Amino acid sequence: MKPAPFVYHDPRTVAEACDLLATRENARVLAGGQSLMPMMNFRYAMPDHLIDLNRVDELAYLRCEGEVLRVGAMTRQRDLEFSPEVGKRCPVLREALSHVGHRQTRNRGTLGGSLCHLDPSAELVNVAALLGGTLHVVSKGGARDIPFAEFAVAYMTTSLQPDELLAGATLPLPARGRGHAFAEFARRHGDFAIVACSALIGLDRDGRIADAAVALSGLGHAPVRPASIERALRGEKPGAAAFKAAAAEAGGFDAVADAYVTAAYRRHLARVLVYRALEQASMRALEAGNG
Amino acid sequence: MADTRTITVTVNGRVCSREVETRLTLADFLRHELNLTGTHVGCEHGVCGACTVLVGGVSARACLMLAVQCDGREVATVESLADGDELNPLQQAFRDNHGLQCGFCTPGILMTLTEFLRDHPDPGEAEVRDVLSGNLCRCTGYQAIVAATLDAAKRMRGGA
């Protein structure tokens, strides 16, 4: 028995969960448990109250509505992975999911849990940045929306207040014809990436890049959408020259270092992965145009 | 003082009710309360996969679930596979292909593959290697596990 003692709560509704969060000191919200449970087993996290959302059915949903994907915070990663609609309308999300942990952890892990845990190089965090999603947050006092770009405030720290709960996310679906890619480097498949890069590319009638979205994670505490790269790609012909310029730009970004990976190596990976992601996304955009 | 609850879990088809501390993990519940020691506990933080069981037919790390979360649910452990002394086709394929050496990781691997082969009766080698990425084995080098899995799939399809 590893976790330190806590009082366990398993609310059935969002309202009950918010009420508990508002009234209990040192409470933590448990989603799929694939990050918080290890932290509790190690006693990095020792909440006095554990508010388990696994029986709050209203937080698990997945709907494609027009041009957006609406996902409940408690929607399992496996449900995103196996959704035919996600595969068709947002293949970059499915591709990213294939790198998220393993079969057994995706069976339990949730979208909301991953976003709130906010590991700097988590794949779902990267894709949320790429798509530019909006997070729906609730508390006893009400509800508010947070643009994903404003969600991360520091290393593994979100802008959620202690009494707030992530209820779901609205993710804009890539426009039709966009080519996608998700490229990462990790020491072993299923590990958190050291650096990851996702991309969406749209081509105009002349085959030039009409719009480009790039999300790069692993350099700092949250993924970045490098505006300089996205802007420079517009109007370019997709090819080695444009990709090389983008890669060189990425290789010049600031990067953090830790006990295992130097900043220089992260920059090297950023350069390589930006090139690969842009190349593959462009190729797929071309195929979509020809198909 | 301790936060406890009475839970009822159907484990391997048997309905089990126990009063447990809410912080008890599913892995420890199976091993210490039900004496089902086939589920092995390795890293206890979700990395090694030794404790993998099926919850509601879906594989999960038993060290990352609380026993209380399984109240009213069905859990299947490695003890559900054999019929008395008779190994099931997956277990038999592991035995015949030397798919285990020390055996510590084997229960988790068998449960992972029980789910996998149910959903993918005719898998390719790449898919087998991908699903095995969630289970660490330090003896076999995986080669024999992959061979055993492909052999088991064939037997279960009736091609043995």
Short mmCIF file of all heavy atoms in Angstrom, two decimals, chain B residues 92-115:
data_model
loop_
_atom_site.label_atom_id
_atom_site.label_comp_id
_atom_site.label_asym_id
_atom_site.label_seq_id
_atom_site.Cartn_x
_atom_site.Cartn_y
_atom_site.Cartn_z
N GLN B 92 0.10 -22.07 -23.33
CA GLN B 92 0.79 -23.23 -23.92
C GLN B 92 1.80 -22.78 -24.98
O GLN B 92 2.91 -23.31 -25.05
CB GLN B 92 -0.24 -24.20 -24.54
CG GLN B 92 0.35 -25.55 -24.92
CD GLN B 92 0.91 -26.31 -23.72
OE1 GLN B 92 0.25 -26.46 -22.70
NE2 GLN B 92 2.15 -26.79 -23.84
N ALA B 93 1.41 -21.77 -25.75
CA ALA B 93 2.33 -21.26 -26.77
C ALA B 93 3.56 -20.63 -26.12
O ALA B 93 4.68 -20.76 -26.62
CB ALA B 93 1.62 -20.24 -27.65
N PHE B 94 3.38 -19.96 -24.99
CA PHE B 94 4.53 -19.40 -24.26
C PHE B 94 5.45 -20.53 -23.78
O PHE B 94 6.66 -20.43 -23.88
CB PHE B 94 4.05 -18.55 -23.08
CG PHE B 94 3.97 -17.09 -23.41
CD1 PHE B 94 3.08 -16.63 -24.36
CD2 PHE B 94 4.82 -16.16 -22.80
CE1 PHE B 94 3.03 -15.29 -24.70
CE2 PHE B 94 4.79 -14.83 -23.13
CZ PHE B 94 3.88 -14.39 -24.08
N ARG B 95 4.84 -21.57 -23.28
CA ARG B 95 5.64 -22.69 -22.79
C ARG B 95 6.41 -23.34 -23.94
O ARG B 95 7.61 -23.59 -23.84
CB ARG B 95 4.71 -23.72 -22.13
CG ARG B 95 5.45 -24.87 -21.54
CD ARG B 95 4.50 -25.82 -20.83
NE ARG B 95 5.26 -26.86 -20.15
CZ ARG B 95 4.73 -27.67 -19.26
NH1 ARG B 95 3.46 -27.54 -18.93
NH2 ARG B 95 5.45 -28.59 -18.69
N ASP B 96 5.73 -23.55 -25.05
CA ASP B 96 6.35 -24.27 -26.17
C ASP B 96 7.43 -23.43 -26.86
O ASP B 96 8.35 -23.99 -27.44
CB ASP B 96 5.27 -24.66 -27.20
CG ASP B 96 4.28 -25.65 -26.62
OD1 ASP B 96 4.59 -26.25 -25.57
OD2 ASP B 96 3.19 -25.82 -27.20
N ASN B 97 7.27 -22.10 -26.82
CA ASN B 97 8.22 -21.23 -27.52
C ASN B 97 9.27 -20.61 -26.59
O ASN B 97 9.97 -19.70 -27.00
CB ASN B 97 7.48 -20.11 -28.25
CG ASN B 97 6.70 -20.62 -29.45
OD1 ASN B 97 7.23 -20.78 -30.53
ND2 ASN B 97 5.41 -20.91 -29.24
N HIS B 98 9.31 -21.06 -25.37
CA HIS B 98 10.24 -20.47 -24.38
C HIS B 98 9.99 -18.98 -24.25
O HIS B 98 10.92 -18.19 -24.24
CB HIS B 98 11.70 -20.75 -24.75
CG HIS B 98 11.96 -22.20 -25.01
ND1 HIS B 98 12.01 -23.13 -24.00
CD2 HIS B 98 12.14 -22.88 -26.17
CE1 HIS B 98 12.22 -24.33 -24.52
NE2 HIS B 98 12.28 -24.20 -25.83
N GLY B 99 8.71 -18.59 -24.17
CA GLY B 99 8.35 -17.18 -24.09
C GLY B 99 8.55 -16.60 -22.70
O GLY B 99 8.09 -15.49 -22.43
N LEU B 100 9.16 -17.36 -21.81
CA LEU B 100 9.45 -16.84 -20.48
C LEU B 100 10.70 -17.53 -19.94
O LEU B 100 11.03 -18.63 -20.34
CB LEU B 100 8.29 -17.07 -19.51
CG LEU B 100 7.92 -18.51 -19.14
CD1 LEU B 100 7.24 -18.53 -17.79
CD2 LEU B 100 7.02 -19.13 -20.21
N GLN B 101 11.37 -16.79 -19.07
CA GLN B 101 12.48 -17.42 -18.35
C GLN B 101 12.21 -17.33 -16.85
O GLN B 101 11.71 -18.26 -16.26
CB GLN B 101 13.81 -16.77 -18.75
CG GLN B 101 14.23 -17.20 -20.16
CD GLN B 101 15.54 -16.60 -20.60
OE1 GLN B 101 16.43 -16.36 -19.82
NE2 GLN B 101 15.66 -16.36 -21.90
N CYS B 102 12.44 -16.17 -16.24
CA CYS B 102 12.18 -16.10 -14.80
C CYS B 102 10.69 -16.05 -14.51
O CYS B 102 10.24 -16.44 -13.44
CB CYS B 102 12.91 -14.93 -14.15
SG CYS B 102 12.03 -13.35 -14.24
N GLY B 103 9.89 -15.53 -15.45
CA GLY B 103 8.44 -15.56 -15.29
C GLY B 103 7.84 -14.39 -14.55
O GLY B 103 6.62 -14.32 -14.40
N PHE B 104 8.68 -13.45 -14.11
CA PHE B 104 8.12 -12.37 -13.30
C PHE B 104 7.20 -11.47 -14.11
O PHE B 104 6.14 -11.06 -13.65
CB PHE B 104 9.25 -11.52 -12.66
CG PHE B 104 8.73 -10.61 -11.59
CD1 PHE B 104 8.59 -11.05 -10.29
CD2 PHE B 104 8.31 -9.32 -11.90
CE1 PHE B 104 8.07 -10.23 -9.31
CE2 PHE B 104 7.78 -8.49 -10.93
CZ PHE B 104 7.67 -8.94 -9.63
N CYS B 105 7.59 -11.17 -15.35
CA CYS B 105 6.79 -10.26 -16.18
C CYS B 105 5.64 -10.98 -16.85
O CYS B 105 4.75 -10.33 -17.42
CB CYS B 105 7.69 -9.62 -17.25
SG CYS B 105 8.27 -10.81 -18.50
N THR B 106 5.67 -12.32 -16.84
CA THR B 106 4.76 -13.11 -17.67
C THR B 106 3.26 -12.86 -17.39
O THR B 106 2.49 -12.73 -18.35
CB THR B 106 5.10 -14.61 -17.53
OG1 THR B 106 6.51 -14.76 -17.70
CG2 THR B 106 4.38 -15.43 -18.57
N PRO B 107 2.83 -12.77 -16.14
CA PRO B 107 1.38 -12.56 -15.92
C PRO B 107 0.88 -11.29 -16.61
O PRO B 107 -0.20 -11.30 -17.23
CB PRO B 107 1.27 -12.43 -14.40
CG PRO B 107 2.45 -13.15 -13.86
CD PRO B 107 3.55 -12.93 -14.86
N GLY B 108 1.65 -10.22 -16.51
CA GLY B 108 1.24 -8.97 -17.14
C GLY B 108 1.23 -9.08 -18.65
O GLY B 108 0.33 -8.56 -19.32
N ILE B 109 2.21 -9.79 -19.17
CA ILE B 109 2.28 -9.96 -20.63
C ILE B 109 1.11 -10.81 -21.10
O ILE B 109 0.46 -10.50 -22.11
CB ILE B 109 3.64 -10.57 -21.02
CG1 ILE B 109 4.73 -9.51 -20.83
CG2 ILE B 109 3.62 -11.07 -22.46
CD1 ILE B 109 6.13 -9.94 -21.20
N LEU B 110 0.80 -11.87 -20.37
CA LEU B 110 -0.31 -12.74 -20.78
C LEU B 110 -1.63 -11.97 -20.77
O LEU B 110 -2.47 -12.14 -21.66
CB LEU B 110 -0.40 -13.95 -19.86
CG LEU B 110 0.75 -14.97 -19.97
CD1 LEU B 110 0.60 -16.05 -18.91
CD2 LEU B 110 0.80 -15.59 -21.37
N MET B 111 -1.82 -11.10 -19.79
CA MET B 111 -3.09 -10.36 -19.73
C MET B 111 -3.16 -9.29 -20.82
O MET B 111 -4.20 -9.07 -21.43
CB MET B 111 -3.30 -9.73 -18.34
CG MET B 111 -3.42 -10.75 -17.22
SD MET B 111 -4.43 -12.20 -17.61
CE MET B 111 -6.08 -11.48 -17.61
N THR B 112 -2.02 -8.65 -21.09
CA THR B 112 -1.96 -7.69 -22.19
C THR B 112 -2.33 -8.39 -23.50
O THR B 112 -3.12 -7.89 -24.30
CB THR B 112 -0.54 -7.10 -22.31
OG1 THR B 112 -0.25 -6.37 -21.12
CG2 THR B 112 -0.41 -6.17 -23.51
N LEU B 113 -1.75 -9.59 -23.68
CA LEU B 113 -1.98 -10.31 -24.94
C LEU B 113 -3.37 -10.93 -25.00
O LEU B 113 -3.90 -11.14 -26.09
CB LEU B 113 -0.89 -11.38 -25.13
CG LEU B 113 0.52 -10.82 -25.35
CD1 LEU B 113 1.53 -11.95 -25.35
CD2 LEU B 113 0.58 -10.02 -26.66
N THR B 114 -3.95 -11.22 -23.86
CA THR B 114 -5.32 -11.76 -23.85
C THR B 114 -6.26 -10.73 -24.47
O THR B 114 -7.10 -11.06 -25.31
CB THR B 114 -5.75 -12.08 -22.40
OG1 THR B 114 -4.89 -13.13 -21.91
CG2 THR B 114 -7.19 -12.53 -22.33
N GLU B 115 -6.09 -9.47 -24.05
CA GLU B 115 -6.90 -8.40 -24.65
C GLU B 115 -6.55 -8.22 -26.12
O GLU B 115 -7.42 -8.12 -26.98
CB GLU B 115 -6.63 -7.07 -23.91
CG GLU B 115 -7.32 -5.87 -24.54
CD GLU B 115 -6.78 -4.54 -23.98
OE1 GLU B 115 -5.55 -4.42 -23.80
OE2 GLU B 115 -7.59 -3.64 -23.76
#
